[in-house]
Amino acid sequence: MYETRSSTKSCLFLEHIGATQDPADSGLVEADRSLKAYEKRFPTCPEIPVFLGSEILHESRSDDGAIHIIERSCKLNVDAPRLLKKIAGVEYVFFIQKNTVNWKERTLRIEAHNETFANRVVILETCNYSVHPENEEWTCFEQSASLDIKSFFGFESTVEKIAMKQYTSNIKRGKEVIEHYLKELISQGITFIPRWTPPPVCGQKDEQTPAAGDAADGDAALDSVALGTTKEQTGSSCPPAEALSSDADKLDADYIERYLGQLTPMQESCLIRLRQWLQETHKGKIPKDEHILRFLRARDFNIDKAREMLCQSLSWRKQYQVDYILQSWRPPALLDEYYTGGWHYQDKDGRPLYILRLGQMDTKGLVKALGEESLLRHVLSINEEGQKRCEENTNIFGRPITSWTCLVDLEGLNMRHLWRPGVKALLRIIEVVEDNYPETLGRLLIVRAPRVFPVLWTLVSPFINENTRQKFLIYSGNNYQGPGGLVDYVDKDVIPDFLGGDCMCTVPEGGLVPKSLYQTEDESENSDHIRLWTETIYHSASVLKGAPHEIVVEILEGESVITWDFDILKGDVVFSLFHSKRAPETTRKEATLPSTSAAGDNMQLIDKMWVLGVDYSHMESPLVCREGESIQGSHVTRWPGFYILQWKMHGPPPCAATSLPRVDDVLASLQVSSHKCKLIYYYEVLASKDFRGSMSSLESCNSGFSQLSGATTSSSQSQSSSHLSR
């Protein structure tokens, strides 16, 4: 699992987090073998062409032999333009690398910095190998790097691009290198290393060099490797019993096979950890495991990236009430007649099959007659229906079916389909689907692609995820007929008649939308059926650095109840509730984001001259709300006056005195550096006698992702003063 981020500061920050996999058994490999494999990279490593060699500058050991420190000078041949090397006057770049092995704690810390051009460019890199918290026979690693370019002969941007490219390449290559040396260890008969134990007598042991395959010699093994263990990971596709903390923390093997499909121990662990995090922060709103798994797969089981993507999607579903789209959305008659798409049985793998005759669709006419929002809503309803059909087919065929197949017929595609507003609508639809329905497309079969198709493909392909693009199969002319064509993926008796099959297809044939049905500009703005982004009880807001977002609630009589429900979409915020007898004045600061509907704006009410404790006072203790959390709460008012709900940016936590920052702290610092947080919120004022929970309508609890989760729970308790829940 790898992750790359760049901050908004002048320096570049990159990070990747993951676990090492054993090439021999498809499981996670224990720490000692990983580190032994790492040590074999020195003094040279043919598997990394840019690494030309190294020499030891300093080496030391602690008295008990538990800590081993090696400092090396490493020579690199950076892939940079010849002109840049000539201007810089160097052919090679030298780095200083310090490796600290703690055999007792079973960790390896690697620190590296550049020696070449140190006064112009500062490159810092750290990597930490440690034992997996859920299974001591697994290896975890965290790696981060920062780049600060002070000046470089006017080629600062070029150097940054080269560094990004080099670092990303090394990350991708690193796993292959470790696996190569793991195989080499196995070929030498080294399958495990005994764990380090204190020496029986005080004093430093003599250094020894282990012979190939001599894994039984404990001292020799410890001198070559950082860690020790006494067991070898087996080749099972499921984690051993001790991998997880309790029976409640592991998934039943039959359940995995029946509903989720094959999972490696690491993938199962990621699913459990992400689900546990959701249970802690999204009470009563947990999607099904197969839905969580889609987001993990979309982000290559990188927990942080999958969590961010999933939380954004869940908040999007909640804000725009997508869960109810199948019940509430009734496509206009014009869509039924001219939208050339529909469900049609299933493919050979049991996936639901959707047919889209895009070449026969008048996209320009549909956009002009209905508007972009109606088309988007219709596509969302198709995706919701697709998920429902996948669940039905899973029950019918007795195996996990989590994606569908789309068959797109492009006969009739012409330059009319490249109408700019239509392409813009298509790109927006693709973006929304990619963000909220990942890994739902199992295969896309494109047939009868005309000559104009490459133009359309050039426009839309950059917006499609690489994993999704790999699922595309494109046939031009009649190449889809016969072996190697549709019959390889769809049963012959299901192939539609218009493609030469025997099955009658009920998908509309489309045609040109009459211009008499086009909307005027006024109709387009006021149309009742174009309400996707406005049919929501939630408001959007941006919280800026030094500019909190505040709303005021006027209470005319005591014993009323203020209720709230909000989701943190980006960044960490602090939520507070204040009371004042004075009416605040409104100060609005518009958010500077591309889409105002998605961004919301910023409202400030508390005057900077007001004094806390004099002009206004705290009614609720400040609550730190992390990105992705969902908060519901209420407060029973005691006095009339003005109650102010405030969200302000939460500052970065103080650095802990540890050798390596925690990943959460690093991510938090990156979020803060953007100087902007985002949230959606709802609030309501009720009479005390009418209060029955966090909200009378319980809209927040109704957004329990009905299409994604089996049930939704909400608090039915009422408290006399206040109630807060995550």
Side-chain angles (χ1 to χ4, degrees), residues 39 49 105 138 146 167 180 392 426 430 478 540 551 557 587 602 676 702:
E39 285 292 319
E105 300 296 333
W138 294 353
S146 63
Y167 187 78
H180 169 79
E392 293 172 353
L426 176 62
I430 290 174
N478 294 323
S540 300
I551 56 176
E557 53 186 53
T587 302
N602 177 270
K676 186 174 296 183
N702 285 338

Side-chain angles (χ1 to χ4, degrees), residues 81 95 209 229 363 388 617:
F95 273 72
T209 303
T229 187
T363 53
K388 182 179 176 183
S617 56

Side-chain angles (χ1 to χ4, degrees), residues 341-356 385-386 388-390 392-394 396-397 401 403-407 489-498 501-507:
W343 294 101
H344 182 79
Y345 301 102
Q346 54 268 332
D347 68 4
K348 285 187 174 182
D349 296 323
R351 296 189 185 104
L353 177 62
Y354 189 84
I355 293 179
L356 181 64
E385 176 68 21
K388 182 179 176 183
R389 286 174 177 261
C390 285
E392 293 172 353
N393 283 16
T394 295
I396 292 172
F397 295 105
I401 295 173
S403 60
W404 53 85
T405 294
C406 186
L407 173 59
Y489 308 101
V490 181
D491 287 329
K492 190 174 181 180
D493 58 355
V494 173
I495 296 177
D497 53 342
F498 62 85
D502 300 326
C503 187
M504 293 296 295
C505 184
T506 58
V507 173

Side-chain angles (χ1 to χ4, degrees), residues 623-643:
L623 178 68
V624 177
C625 310
R626 301 295 182 182
E627 179 176 314
E629 289 189 340
S630 178
I631 310 295
Q632 297 84 38
S634 59
H635 177 84
V636 179
T637 63
R638 298 180 180 178
W639 310 283
F642 299 91
Y643 288 81

Side-chain angles (χ1 to χ4, degrees), residues 186-200:
I186 294 172
S187 67
Q188 296 173 356
I190 300 177
T191 56
F192 72 96
I193 305 297
R195 187 174 299 181
W196 177 87
T197 55

Side-chain angles (χ1 to χ4, degrees), residues 17 25 67 158 163 224 237 277 405 475 522 583 599 618 656 669 691:
I17 305 168
D25 59 17
I67 299 176
T158 303
S224 299
S237 61
W277 183 85
T405 294
Y475 300 93
D522 292 338
H618 261 119
S669 65
F691 178 65

